[in-house]
Amino acid sequence: GTYSVVPRVPGGEITPEQLIQMGETAKKYNLYSKITGAQRIDFFGAPKHQLPDIWEELGSVGLESGHAYGKALRTVKSCVGSTWCRYGVQDSVGFAIRVENRYKGVRSPHKMKSAVSGCVRECAEAQGKDFGMIATENGYNLYVGGNGGVNPVHAQLLATDIDEDTVIQYLDRYIMYYILTADRLERTAPWQAKLPGGKNGGGPIEHLKEVIIEDSLGICDELDRRMQHLVDTYHDEWAEVVKDPVRRNKFKQFVNTDDTQEREEMIEFIDQRGQVRPTDWMPDGSPQTNWVPDDSDVFARSEKSWVTVGKVADFAPNVGSAILYGDSQLAVFNNAKRGEWYCTQNMCPHKQAFVLSQGIIGDAEGVSKVACPLHKKQFGLEDGKQLDGDLSLITFPVRVDGDDVLVELPAEAEVDAILGTHGLRVHSGCEGVKDISGTALEAEILSGVANSNVTSLV
């Protein structure tokens, strides 16, 4: 249930001040740090409620979102080029920075990767990217439609010995033509392979030359305008969150309280070469997996009361929101599209991860459901039953009274005995841990709990 933080490092160039701030932030929040193959530094293990603070600190030295998981431009790699290498014939770093800053934030059918090599030795691997440039004595050779991954594809040569401005012009048109005509989740390589051949043969690359360079379809002006609009309207999403109290408030861990449960309270973090990371998931069928309550309606005999957990405006539409009840995390779902409200445990029983409030809600054959964001297990929100397996969630009735959202709940201590975070914490081993589910000890705890008259958690 933690997040990665991936700042953009255009062209792989980074200042000492930025490196120092990265280190200080990673140390302050105890984030696992890793230099990636895309020439940037990733940080892992950030709790959701700390993300605005982390990005505020990184933004203070000019670091922006790297769109690391978005269907957008990822990075533009570069070698050191003519600035520092005796073989370099062009300033590949400077041009990579220019290209990355132009196309950062541009959404596309799938991810896009790029690179600029400062000479024919190709240290930046530009011919394995969606678009790449290789420096020549006279400018750059422009390659398009490559990718690595499971099915590597070598990019094809679109133009030779062109200057930087011409590269940008051709890239504007190529990327926008791709955005407008590719299928969703289609990389440039398979999209390009499906294009028609040139008028005189030669395959899809000749078609692209005709469209992009010769304007055979008469659309270049429109492609240019559309791309310039995307460039002109760019904004860093995390900077918007940091400076906007309303957006920042959406990253609260729990809607109904400012209290937090730290990541170590939900899963054990172990040492790895001087840094910390979450312990490994246990294999399915092992303890701490496929959690099942003792009874399909474990609170059937409990005395319950309606507890106010927030205002309607506190719960964003068509998503889940977490609330804290004693030591237990619950998930409230405002399915505004259907005019329905639901409440379940926040812990996904598959791996005991407290993430269901961050899942995607929808419907399956008329049944409102939530899909766990980790392993996509799907649960019906009405009865909690898994739609694609045998697991289930504990559910609680929800009602809206004016502006108030209320959930019908047993006493805090009863809920904590079953769903308390500390009792469900994932750890690396079970030595010394006793499972009291279904035992006389659990029955004694539950029977000895005095029913609470709590009426509000806000």
Side-chain angles (χ1 to χ4, degrees):
T2 58
Y3 289 77
S4 56
V5 174
V6 187
R8 183 171 299 283
V9 183
E13 182 179 79
I14 192 166
T15 68
E17 290 77 15
Q18 289 173 329
L19 280 172
I20 290 169
Q21 184 61 63
M22 284 181 165
E24 290 178 345
T25 300
K27 187 173 182 179
K28 177 178 178 180
Y29 296 96
N30 204 11
L31 305 176
Y32 181 94
S33 307
K34 170 74 171 66
I35 297 177
T36 76
Q39 296 184 340
R40 55 187 178 187
I41 303 173
D42 293 6
F43 305 101
F44 300 91
K48 178 181 176 181
H49 64 277
Q50 291 181 348
L51 290 175
D53 294 334
I54 291 171
W55 278 108
E56 184 172 18
E57 294 184 14
L58 296 175
S60 68
V61 290
L63 294 168
E64 299 178 328
S65 170
H67 301 96
Y69 304 101
K71 301 299 181 277
L73 176 70
R74 298 291 178 82
T75 62
V76 182
K77 291 177 61 176
S78 72
C79 65
V80 296
S82 59
T83 306
W84 294 102
C85 178
R86 61 180 175 148
Y87 297 115
V89 294
Q90 300 290 346
D91 177 14
S92 54
V93 178
F95 191 37
I97 293 171
R98 179 183 176 187
V99 172
E100 184 159 348
N101 281 331
R102 181 167 183 81
Y103 301 120
K104 63 185 178 183
V106 171
R107 268 40 178 197
S108 52
H110 211 301
K111 62 185 176 183
M112 298 186 295
K113 298 182 179 181
S114 181
V116 182
S117 287
C119 75
V120 71
R121 288 167 179 80
E122 247 282 72
C123 292
E125 303 164 336
Q127 294 172 89
K129 300 293 188 287
D130 294 276
F131 51 93
M133 290 67 74
I134 301 176
T136 69
E137 294 285 352
N138 301 312
Y140 289 92
N141 290 344
L142 173 59
Y143 292 82
V144 294
N147 64 246
V150 177
N151 299 302
V153 177
H154 196 289
Q156 295 177 290
L157 182 62
L158 181 68
T160 60
D161 292 329
I162 54 177
D163 60 24
E164 291 187 6
D165 289 343
T166 305
V167 171
I168 295 295
Q169 183 184 57
Y170 290 173
L171 282 179
D172 282 0
R173 297 169 181 177
Y174 176 80
I175 295 171
M176 187 53 64
Y177 192 41
Y178 163 62
I179 290 173
L180 293 174
T181 61
D183 292 331
R184 286 179 294 178
L185 301 182
E186 185 174 46
R187 290 288 298 272
T188 58
W191 163 76
Q192 191 166 306
K194 295 193 308 184
L195 294 174
K199 294 177 181 178
N200 299 314
I205 192 64
E206 295 303 320
H207 169 77
L208 286 172
K209 291 177 182 178
E210 293 168 1
V211 172
I212 292 169
I213 300 173
E214 301 170 14
D215 197 15
S216 62
L217 298 180
I219 61 173
C220 282
D221 284 346
E222 180 181 356
L223 297 178
D224 293 344
R225 287 195 303 271
R226 284 176 177 262
M227 178 55 72
Q228 192 59 49
H229 173 73
L230 295 181
V231 173
D232 292 342
T233 55
Y234 165 79
H235 63 279
D236 177 24
E237 293 90 345
W238 275 113
E240 298 295 315
V241 170
V242 166
K243 67 184 182 182
D244 183 351
V246 175
R247 293 182 182 178
R248 192 165 185 151
N249 192 57
K250 293 181 179 180
F251 289 85
K252 283 182 59 175
Q253 187 176 15
F254 303 112
V255 164
N256 63 319
T257 179
D258 290 328
D259 293 343
T260 59
Q261 289 187 338
E262 298 308 319
R263 62 184 190 179
E264 292 82 2
E265 298 178 69
M266 293 175 272
I267 185 169
E268 179 184 2
F269 275 69
I270 61 176
D271 177 81
Q272 186 166 62
R273 297 179 293 276
Q275 300 194 80
V276 296
R277 67 165 181 86
T279 188
D280 294 330
W281 295 117
M282 300 292 285
D284 282 1
S286 303
Q288 306 179 94
T289 68
N290 300 330
W291 178 90
V292 179
D294 299 325
D295 191 300
S296 59
D297 191 357
V298 68
F299 299 119
R301 294 187 295 260
S302 300
E303 183 177 339
K304 306 175 183 70
S305 59
W306 286 99
V307 179
T308 302
V309 297
K311 300 293 185 181
V312 171
D314 295 331
F315 298 89
N318 304 309
V319 296
S321 302
I323 61 172
L324 185 63
Y325 183 64
D327 185 48
S328 301
Q329 295 189 27
L330 306 179
V332 175
F333 299 93
N334 174 9
N335 193 342
K337 289 183 179 179
R338 296 170 58 116
E340 299 168 348
W341 290 78
Y342 300 98
C343 180
T344 72
Q345 64 196 57
N346 193 36
M347 182 267 293
C348 177
H350 177 222
K351 295 291 187 179
Q352 292 187 199
F354 296 84
V355 295
L356 287 179
S357 62
Q358 299 169 56
I360 299 174
I361 68 172
D363 69 83
E365 299 180 352
V367 176
S368 290
K369 68 172 185 176
V370 61
C372 175
L374 293 182
H375 302 104
K376 303 301 184 283
K377 304 295 183 183
Q378 299 181 62
F379 301 90
L381 291 172
E382 180 71 36
D383 58 12
K385 292 181 179 179
Q386 186 181 356
L387 304 180
D388 51 357
D390 300 324
L391 300 175
S392 63
L393 309 175
I394 297 175
T395 63
F396 305 92
V398 182
R399 82 168 193 235
V400 176
D401 186 359
D403 291 333
D404 294 327
V405 178
L406 300 92
V407 179
E408 190 177 34
L409 295 165
E412 283 186 5
E414 288 189 72
V415 177
D416 287 347
I418 305 299
L419 296 175
T421 297
H422 291 82
L424 296 170
R425 176 178 179 266
V426 174
H427 48 85
S428 56
C430 297
E431 296 80 2
V433 178
K434 182 178 180 180
D435 184 0
I436 66 169
S437 300
T439 66
L441 178 57
E442 182 191 39
E444 180 181 349
I445 292 173
L446 292 178
S447 64
V449 170
N451 290 314
S452 171
N453 291 321
V454 173
T455 59
S456 178
L457 286 176
V458 183

